[in-house]
């Protein structure tokens, strides 16, 4: 093995994404690792600094609401790519397509005849008691017939190398802009290595997203007006909102730019009102329409839900989708696949205890020190307890919370996340750091399409299991190989 990786030691009992043993690259990855490893530590540090400078100059940022300073941060990026073998990706692509199809059918059903609830496949009280279940949506058929236009499915790889679904994101999944920017940075720094590595492209995602949005327009797609609706520059994902709008050639609008008249949505322009047909909305539902949701919202458009329910505008993603990515609903997705599609689920999941169930709750409170507890309506690593690393006071606090509001919590065994070589700037060497993967799936009138890649998030802090950017995580470029090695 060459110099840069010669001291690299994968964690015992974990799956390393690039090495099957110390000094032994996985099959098909030898060439990439040999070329990367040929650099000295000094040379690689220079490359990493150049990549970080490029991210800074291009304003690839995010905000952390919990940070009192309220400042934007450059999204941390590690230059060592995570490589996914072609045969592994083929399985993931089938499984993600299958899962998104089943979740879409589930949403159509629970906001329609509710056959799956009558059949007892998914407990009725879990669905109708979900915070994100919107009774006002019941009976509404979305324009274009699609509810989940953009989804992000979080995956982890367990110690045996099996990908497992960790979470479904059916509302406003973020992060795809970093996928595209990471690829640009990697190609600039390693142009010859990238060209020789036979990696599937990701830069066509914005074009595919634009085509997906136009396909579900209630009017002629070729003449439809599509916009991106953002809550504004203080939103944590504002960079992504502006990036996607710019890349798609669409207007980036805020609530004051739109109004509803005669149950149609109009955009204010210098040439007068212009009817809007499709809105890629990045505003949470609670703030989307003060006529239906929070009356004090300054981020929403009054009457928007009426226009959507009348079929005059498409909202991507459709309101009410949150019931499908409720963490207490997640354990039942394999049953949905069997019920709606009559197929065996392709992707594995993580065993999950639903605290609303008496037996599950009893087990969870007795084994908190072994489990990861999650609040069903939180994201970004908030509302979570890592039992094996928690203090006695933290365990006691979560036990109290679970007993007081059992519907609000689920628990899972801690899975040893896979690791990937990551540059440690302080020690000037490669160290294993835990990673997950968020692939993105677009669904048009013609069905799902999976971006060949996704956002690899990495826990930059040594020993950490939390990969969220809001909790100190960063990201890597994800290289999906074109050919089976």
């Amino acid at each position: 093995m060459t110099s840069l990786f010669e001291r690299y030691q994968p964690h015992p009992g974990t799956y390393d994404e690039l090495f099957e043993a110390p000094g032994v690259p996985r099959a098909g990855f030898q060439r990439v690792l040999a070329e990367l490893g040929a650099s000295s530590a000094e040379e690689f540090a220079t490359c990493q600094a150049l990549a970080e400078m490029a991210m800074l100059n291009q304003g690839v940022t995010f905000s952390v609401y919990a940070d009192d300073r309220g400042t934007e941060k450059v999204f941390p990026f590690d230059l060592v790519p995570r490589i996914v073998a072609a045969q592994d990706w083929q399985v993931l692509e089938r499984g993600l397509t299958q899962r998104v199809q089943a979740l879409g059918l589930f949403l159509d059903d629970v906001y329609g005849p509710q056959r799956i609830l009558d059949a007892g496949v998914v407990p009725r009280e879990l669905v109708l008691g979900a915070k994100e279940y919107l009774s006002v949506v019941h009976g509404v058929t979305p324009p274009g017939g699609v509810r989940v236009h953009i989804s992000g499915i979080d995956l982890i790889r367990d110690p045996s190398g099996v990908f497992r679904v960790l979470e479904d994101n059916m509302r406003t999944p973020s992060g795809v802009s970093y996928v595209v920017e990471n690829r640009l940075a990697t190609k600039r720094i390693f142009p010859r290595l990238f060209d020789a590595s036979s990696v599937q492209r990701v830069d066509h995602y914005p074009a595919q997203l634009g085509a997906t949005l136009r396909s579900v327009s209630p009017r002629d797609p070729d003449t439809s007006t599509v916009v991106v609706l953002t809550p504004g520059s203080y939103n944590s994902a504002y960079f992504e909102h502006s990036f996607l709008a710019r890349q798609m050639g669409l207007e980036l609008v805020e609530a004051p730019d739109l109004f509803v008249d005669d149950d149609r949505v109009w955009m204010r322009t210098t040439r007068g009102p212009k009817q809007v047909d499709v809105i890629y909305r990045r505003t949470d539902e609670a703030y989307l329409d003060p006529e239906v949701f929070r009356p004090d919202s300054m981020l929403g458009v009054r009457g928007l839900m009426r226009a959507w329910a009348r079929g005059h505008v498409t909202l991507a993603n459709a309101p009410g989708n949150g019931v499908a990515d409720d963490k207490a609903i997640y354990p039942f997705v394999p049953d949905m696949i069997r019920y709606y599609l009559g197929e065996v689920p392709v992707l594995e999941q993580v065993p999950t205890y639903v605290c609303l169930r008496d037996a599950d709750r009893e087990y969870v409170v007795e084994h908190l020190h072994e489990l990861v507890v999650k609040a069903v309506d939180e994201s970004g690593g908030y509302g979570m307890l890592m039992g094996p690393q928690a203090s006695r006071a933290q365990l006691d606090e979560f036990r109290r919370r679970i007993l007081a509001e059992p519907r609000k919590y689920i628990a899972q065994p801690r899975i040893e996340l896979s690791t990937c070589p990551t540059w440690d700037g302080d020690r000037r060497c490669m160290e294993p750091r835990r990673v997950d993967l968020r692939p993105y799936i677009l669904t048009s009138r013609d069905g799902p399409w999976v971006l060949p890649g996704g956002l690899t998030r990495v826990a930059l802090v040594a020993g950490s299991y939390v990969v969220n950017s809001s909790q100190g995580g960063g990201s890597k470029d994800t290289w999906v190989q074109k050919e089976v090695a």
Side-chain angles (χ1 to χ4, degrees), residues 133-400:
Y133 173 77
L134 299 181
S135 58
V136 296
V137 173
H138 195 272
V140 176
T141 299
V146 178
R147 292 183 187 272
V148 190
H149 310 84
I150 305 106
S151 51
I153 307 294
D154 291 348
L155 304 168
I156 59 171
R157 181 119 76 163
D158 71 15
S160 65
V162 173
F163 276 107
R164 292 178 180 273
V165 176
L166 186 64
E167 289 184 11
D168 303 294
N169 297 282
M170 302 281 117
R171 285 172 281 177
T172 53
S174 295
V176 76
S177 58
Y178 306 121
V179 175
V180 180
E181 290 287 358
N182 288 353
R183 176 59 54 83
L184 285 173
T186 306
K187 289 175 70 174
R188 285 195 192 103
I189 303 295
F190 301 127
R192 285 180 298 179
L193 173 62
F194 184 84
D195 289 342
S197 299
S198 190
V199 178
Q200 296 203 49
R201 59 185 295 208
V202 298
D203 59 346
H204 57 326
Y205 177 87
Q208 192 74 32
L209 174 59
T212 297
L213 295 172
R214 284 190 292 276
S215 82
V216 291
S217 171
R219 298 196 298 171
D220 182 354
D222 292 335
T223 57
S224 293
T225 298
V226 185
V227 300
V228 178
L229 174 62
T230 175
S233 59
Y234 292 106
N235 186 270
S236 63
Y238 182 74
F239 165 77
E240 177 153 299
H241 306 166
S242 58
F243 173 88
L244 290 174
R246 186 172 62 252
Q247 292 291 314
M248 291 188 286
L250 303 179
E251 293 285 347
L252 178 67
V253 300
E254 298 184 25
D257 299 319
L258 303 177
F259 67 96
V260 174
D261 184 46
D262 192 25
D263 291 341
R264 287 172 169 76
V265 181
W266 302 85
M267 175 171 57
R268 294 181 172 88
T269 78
T270 55
R271 298 183 177 181
K274 184 175 185 180
Q275 186 172 348
V276 174
D277 305 290
V278 182
I279 300 176
Y280 179 22
R281 56 102 179 174
R282 298 297 298 258
T283 301
D284 291 343
E285 282 154 8
Y287 302 92
L288 193 59
D289 182 351
E291 188 176 280
V292 177
F293 304 114
R294 289 185 55 149
D296 60 341
S297 172
M298 302 293 288
L299 305 176
V301 181
R302 185 172 297 278
L304 188 59
M305 289 292 288
R306 271 189 288 113
W308 174 71
R310 292 287 304 276
H312 293 156
V313 68
T314 299
L315 297 178
N317 284 325
N321 282 6
V323 68
D325 64 22
D326 185 298
K327 293 180 179 64
I329 302 296
Y330 155 92
F332 300 95
V333 177
D335 294 328
M336 295 178 199
I337 293 170
R338 297 185 190 94
Y339 181 78
Y340 292 119
L341 303 178
E343 299 175 0
V344 176
V346 174
L347 298 178
E348 300 285 346
Q349 298 200 153
V350 177
T352 301
Y353 301 96
V354 179
C355 292
L356 188 62
R357 294 167 165 169
D358 293 342
D360 284 16
R361 183 173 63 255
E362 184 177 341
Y363 180 87
V364 169
V365 296
E366 290 179 359
H367 296 82
L368 272 180
H369 60 288
E370 303 170 3
L371 300 170
V372 179
V373 179
K374 298 177 181 176
V376 299
D377 53 2
E378 294 277 6
S379 60
Y382 296 105
M384 192 167 80
L385 174 78
M386 296 293 288
Q389 297 169 304
S391 66
R392 172 58 60 186
Q394 290 171 320
L395 293 172
D396 290 343
E397 171 62 18
F398 264 78
R399 186 175 291 107
R400 184 192 64 75

